[in-house]
Amino acid sequence: MLATSKPLAGTAVVPIDGLIRPGNRSEKRIAIVPARTRVFLPGIDRSETFRIKSGCIALFQLLPDGRRQIVDILGPERLFGRGISDLHQCGAESLCETEVELLTAMRRSLEIEINQAVRQMLRRAQAHATLLGRKTAGERIASALIDLAGQFAENGGNAFQLYLTRTDLADWLGLTLETVSRYLNRFRREGLIDFAGANHISLRDRTALTQIASGRNLALVQ
């Protein structure tokens, strides 16, 4: 069930500080990261941190043979940067055009936000380890859909833009591309989800998906 994909050909790699629009101390410093761009942070102090204003960032690790494991998906208001995750070990890639804000290290409240973000990332890492180690394919995909709805659906709704490709989902969930496609199609046939175009998804039966994600509905995860 392990993912076997390799990084997308032609993916750009850029320093994020080269994308930041210049501004004075009183102005927000914003970077627009193009879709499918890997960012790194040369020349920026390890205490610098970025907040996602819109879009989607994937944190990933690469195996020696080039295979990719996505370790987390970050949506709006999530923090990332060298103050939170070691980008020497963990890379960052925008899955769509993404706007990020450089947070000023002088802000006294930033330390509290970073501590909260680190705790959140730790909780998510523990949940991801359980997902990869113990959950079935159906449980993994149901869990991912609920997580993405929580990050990207507006006003607590059930419809959201799916920035991840099937390959991204496979690399995040430790599955093959075929398995991801099969379960998404099955959930659609069962009336649990629906697609409006290729990249917009709605959860039609969130309760059932939650039951599947927690292993309480075995009929739909075999």
Side-chain angles (χ1 to χ4, degrees):
M1 295 200 311
L2 293 178
T4 57
S5 67
K6 293 190 176 182
L8 296 175
T11 301
V13 181
V14 300
I16 196 169
D17 48 348
L19 298 172
I20 296 174
R21 296 198 295 265
N24 58 41
R25 289 179 178 270
S26 64
E27 294 178 332
K28 292 183 178 180
R29 299 180 65 191
I30 301 294
I32 304 297
V33 184
R36 297 292 164 178
T37 299
R38 292 186 178 175
V39 297
F40 61 100
L41 312 176
I44 292 185
D45 185 85
R46 292 183 64 85
S47 65
E48 298 291 13
T49 303
F50 296 84
R51 186 195 311 279
I52 300 171
K53 303 301 293 181
S54 64
C56 179
I57 292 283
L59 299 182
F60 67 92
Q61 292 182 331
L62 292 178
L63 280 73
D65 63 2
R67 285 178 294 164
R68 177 184 65 162
Q69 175 65 58
I70 292 177
V71 297
D72 202 1
I73 299 295
L74 282 62
E77 299 305 314
R78 294 285 302 279
L79 305 187
F80 77 102
R82 290 185 178 180
I84 298 175
S85 58
D86 186 350
L87 293 183
H88 294 294
Q89 300 296 326
C90 185
E93 179 180 337
S94 59
L95 300 187
C96 62
E97 183 176 273
T98 300
E99 182 181 48
V100 302
E101 176 189 358
L102 172 62
L103 300 180
T104 304
M106 294 175 60
R107 285 175 45 193
R108 297 181 63 88
S109 63
L110 183 57
E111 183 177 351
I112 296 175
E113 290 187 72
I114 290 176
N115 288 337
Q116 292 173 339
V118 169
R119 289 195 295 269
Q120 180 186 31
M121 189 167 289
L122 177 59
R123 290 193 300 269
R124 290 178 64 85
Q126 292 171 335
H128 193 240
T130 300
L131 178 146
L132 294 178
R134 301 301 298 172
K135 290 194 174 186
T136 67
E139 290 168 353
R140 296 182 198 188
I141 294 171
S143 298
L145 293 174
I146 293 168
D147 180 271
L148 293 173
Q151 293 203 75
F152 298 103
E154 294 184 2
N155 301 318
N158 292 313
F160 59 94
Q161 188 76 13
L162 182 62
Y163 298 116
L164 287 77
T165 65
R166 304 297 188 269
T167 298
D168 294 330
L169 285 167
D171 288 352
W172 186 25
L173 303 176
L175 300 171
T176 64
L177 177 62
E178 294 76 13
T179 298
V180 169
S181 296
R182 183 170 68 251
Y183 271 95
L184 287 177
N185 289 333
R186 181 174 181 179
F187 287 172
R188 186 177 187 177
R189 289 196 305 270
E190 296 286 346
L192 306 183
I193 64 174
D194 199 8
F195 287 93
N199 300 316
H200 198 272
I201 188 170
S202 60
L203 309 187
R204 298 183 61 188
D205 192 339
R206 193 164 185 159
T207 299
L209 287 169
T210 300
Q211 291 176 340
I212 293 171
S214 62
R216 298 198 302 270
N217 191 336
L218 299 179
L220 291 176
V221 297
Q222 303 300 321

